[in-house]
């Protein structure tokens, strides 16, 4: 098992399949002058599958595909199928902005994708466009409808909350999710935007979002926590319809329960979103390294994990990479 020096067992791997994206959320990407990775620097599906196979030997059980926008990587269902057939995979999920979902979700489901998270911060067209710098809300909503049609249940909507911008979206997003049967999670804005515009004053805390929901829907009831490594604290609405969760990395860091590793699209293993150190899996994969050598790198990466991200520490240093270059 992959156990770090604080006793945290790591069984979850987030795989970034690209740094490219078809929208430009201001809290993640710059608007222009972006240097994307050249194609040959990305891990191939074969390389990713080999790495996943080795990670399974080390105790990783849960995989999530992310990016950049994973659906802009050509032929993604082929990777899904290849990962799904590996023995020991307990969860295989995808995080997407939903823009290309309508076209691809049927193939993804057929390939064996188990769960779907769709990021959606606002149902107001102008605010959606202000955040993403693209006018794609209708395609995201069409993608969600199609995902339900092809059989995805328990779709999770992830909404980043921004102070001064998304307060008016809190209640409509909750209503939308309660009506459509999606699970809703609000995420605090973290200092991972390429433009370095993050300030604490822009963080709309989970506590404030929750208070707004309670004004509208009555007291939220905490749900039993089934998986302590889940960063979200989930609540049920008072009338029993739907749940809502809060991922509060800034106001209530949950590093003590972290069970994740991440691999960037070009094969750099990271033990934290905020780490400043990376472990070069791609070099090993491309230099004919044995499984034992790759396992050793995984162990070293986990062994080097710090107790916490330290966002609130005055000595906090932002990672060089922005969110789209890491894989959220
Ligand atoms: N493109 C896909 C998407 O947007 O779902 C997958 C990658 S994206 C980097 C993964 C998640 O990170 C999204 O839910 C996005 O809203 C979130 N995210 C990006 N930048 C963030 C930031 N600075 N703070 C908090 N969440 C952020
Ligand atoms: Fe693209 Fe996701 Fe980043 Fe938005 S958050 S710019 S959709 S990678």
């Amino acid at each position: 098992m992959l156990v770090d020096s604080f006793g945290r067992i790591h069984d979850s791997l987030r795989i970034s399949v690209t740094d490219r994206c078809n929208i430009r959320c201001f809290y993640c990407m710059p608007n222009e002058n972006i240097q994307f990775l050249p194609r040959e620097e990305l891990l191939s599906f074969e390389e990713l599958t080999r790495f996943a196979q080795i990670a399974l030997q080390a105790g990783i059980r849960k995989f999530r595909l992310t990016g950049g926008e994973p659906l802009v990587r050509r032929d993604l269902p082929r990777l899904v199928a290849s990962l799904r057939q590996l023995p020991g995979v307990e969860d295989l999920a995808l995080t997407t902005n939903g823009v290309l979902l309508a076209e691809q979700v049927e193939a993804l489901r057929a390939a064996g994708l188990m769960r779907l998270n769709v990021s959606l911060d606002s149902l107001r067209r102008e605010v959606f466009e202000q955040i993403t710098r693209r006018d794609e809300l209708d395609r995201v909503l069409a993608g969600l409808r199609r995902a339900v049609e092809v059989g995805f249940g328990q779709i999770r909507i992830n909404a980043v909350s921004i102070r001064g911008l998304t307060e008016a979206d809190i209640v409509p997003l909750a209503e939308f999710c309660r009506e459509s049967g999606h699970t809703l999670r609000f995420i605090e804005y973290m200092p991972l935007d390429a433009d370095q515009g993050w300030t604490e004053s822009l963080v709309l805390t989970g506590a404030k979002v929750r208070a707004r929901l309670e004004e509208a829907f009555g007291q939220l009831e905490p749900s039993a926590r089934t998986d302590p490594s889940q960063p979200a604290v989930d609540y049920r609405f008072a009338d029993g319809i739907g749940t809502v969760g809060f991922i509060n990395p800034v106001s209530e860091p949950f590093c003590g329960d972290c069970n994740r590793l991440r691999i960037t699209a070009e094969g750099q293993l990271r033990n934290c979103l905020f780490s400043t150190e990376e472990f070069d899996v791609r070099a090993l994969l491309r230099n004919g390294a044995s499984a034992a050598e790759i396992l050793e790198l995984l162990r070293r990466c986990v062994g080097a994990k710090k107790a916490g991200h330290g966002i609130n520490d005055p000595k906090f240093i932002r990672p060089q990479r922005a969110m789209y270059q890491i894989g959220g």
Side-chain angles (χ1 to χ4, degrees):
M1 282 200 299
L2 294 166
V3 187
D4 71 8
S5 47
F6 303 91
R8 293 171 295 196
I9 299 170
H10 289 68
D11 66 354
S12 166
L13 177 68
R14 301 202 162 199
I15 299 176
S16 174
V17 295
T18 181
D19 60 343
R20 287 168 198 263
C21 189
N22 42 8
I23 59 177
R24 293 283 180 274
C25 307
F26 76 83
Y27 48 65
C28 177
M29 289 186 103
N31 197 15
E32 46 200 15
N33 300 325
I34 312 176
Q35 288 286 317
F36 289 116
L37 291 167
R39 185 75 187 78
E40 64 279 7
E41 293 212 6
L42 301 183
L43 290 191
S44 67
F45 290 170
E46 290 66 30
E47 288 168 330
L48 278 172
T49 305
R50 173 156 187 248
F51 180 63
Q53 206 165 14
I54 294 168
L56 280 156
Q57 287 174 32
I60 296 290
R61 293 285 171 265
K62 303 171 193 169
F63 297 86
R64 173 174 296 284
L65 302 177
T66 181
E69 171 49 37
L71 300 189
V72 304
R73 176 89 186 245
R74 195 177 317 143
D75 243 359
L76 193 70
R78 193 163 67 76
L79 176 65
V80 169
S82 160
L83 293 174
R84 183 63 200 272
Q85 52 80 36
L86 296 174
V89 174
E90 288 173 11
D91 191 19
L92 181 54
L94 170 81
T95 299
T96 171
N97 62 31
V99 173
L100 296 173
L101 202 54
E103 293 107 274
Q104 296 189 28
V105 73
E106 192 167 7
L108 289 163
R109 178 134 175 104
L113 185 69
M114 294 159 81
R115 288 189 312 119
L116 200 54
N117 284 9
V118 178
S119 304
L120 177 60
D121 309 327
S122 176
L123 291 164
R124 293 178 290 166
R125 193 169 171 179
E126 64 289 356
V127 176
F128 180 96
E129 190 170 347
Q130 202 177 334
I131 294 172
T132 65
R133 297 142 159 169
R134 298 289 185 275
D135 180 17
E136 296 284 21
L137 176 61
D138 288 346
R139 285 170 86 192
V140 178
L141 296 176
L144 276 168
R145 286 192 296 271
R146 187 77 192 120
V148 173
E149 273 168 25
V150 305
F152 276 101
Q154 287 292 311
I155 297 171
R156 193 192 298 156
I157 304 294
N158 285 334
V160 178
S161 307
I162 315 283
R163 189 142 136 209
L165 186 61
T166 63
E167 284 85 349
D169 293 293
I170 297 170
V171 171
L173 276 171
E175 279 165 346
F176 171 73
C177 289
R178 277 156 53 86
E179 279 160 22
S180 43
H182 306 322
T183 309
L184 177 59
R185 291 217 169 141
F186 289 99
I187 308 175
E188 287 175 352
Y189 177 20
M190 295 180 275
L192 288 168
D193 56 316
D195 290 340
Q196 309 226 355
W198 182 92
T199 65
E200 210 176 332
S201 61
L202 290 173
V203 179
L204 177 56
T205 62
K208 291 226 168 75
V209 175
R210 191 176 138 197
R212 178 72 199 96
L213 288 171
E214 292 194 329
E215 261 170 46
F217 300 100
Q219 177 108 27
L220 296 171
E221 313 267 339
S223 299
R225 221 171 168 198
T226 46
D227 179 356
S229 66
Q230 270 292 315
V233 181
D234 283 319
Y235 294 82
R236 284 188 308 272
F237 287 96
D239 61 5
I241 302 171
T243 64
V244 58
F246 303 94
I247 302 182
N248 302 340
V250 182
S251 67
E252 296 171 54
F254 41 81
C255 305
D257 291 326
C258 182
N259 66 342
R260 304 152 191 227
L261 297 175
R262 296 182 147 80
I263 186 159
T264 67
E266 79 273 49
Q268 304 303 303
L269 191 64
R270 301 172 63 89
N271 55 31
C272 176
L273 262 179
F274 293 94
S275 62
T276 46
E277 191 183 6
E278 297 185 336
F279 295 79
D280 194 349
V281 174
R282 187 183 64 190
L284 291 188
L285 287 168
R286 294 194 177 169
N287 294 339
S290 65
E293 287 168 299
I294 295 171
L295 272 170
E296 173 53 28
L297 190 77
L298 263 162
R299 296 223 156 81
R300 267 204 290 129
C301 174
V302 171
K305 186 152 167 158
K306 297 196 175 126
H309 56 48
I311 295 177
N312 300 310
D313 184 330
K315 292 197 284 275
F316 172 69
I317 301 170
R318 284 181 56 133
Q320 294 283 332
R321 292 173 185 268
M323 189 64 124
Y324 73 103
Q325 298 165 311
I326 300 173

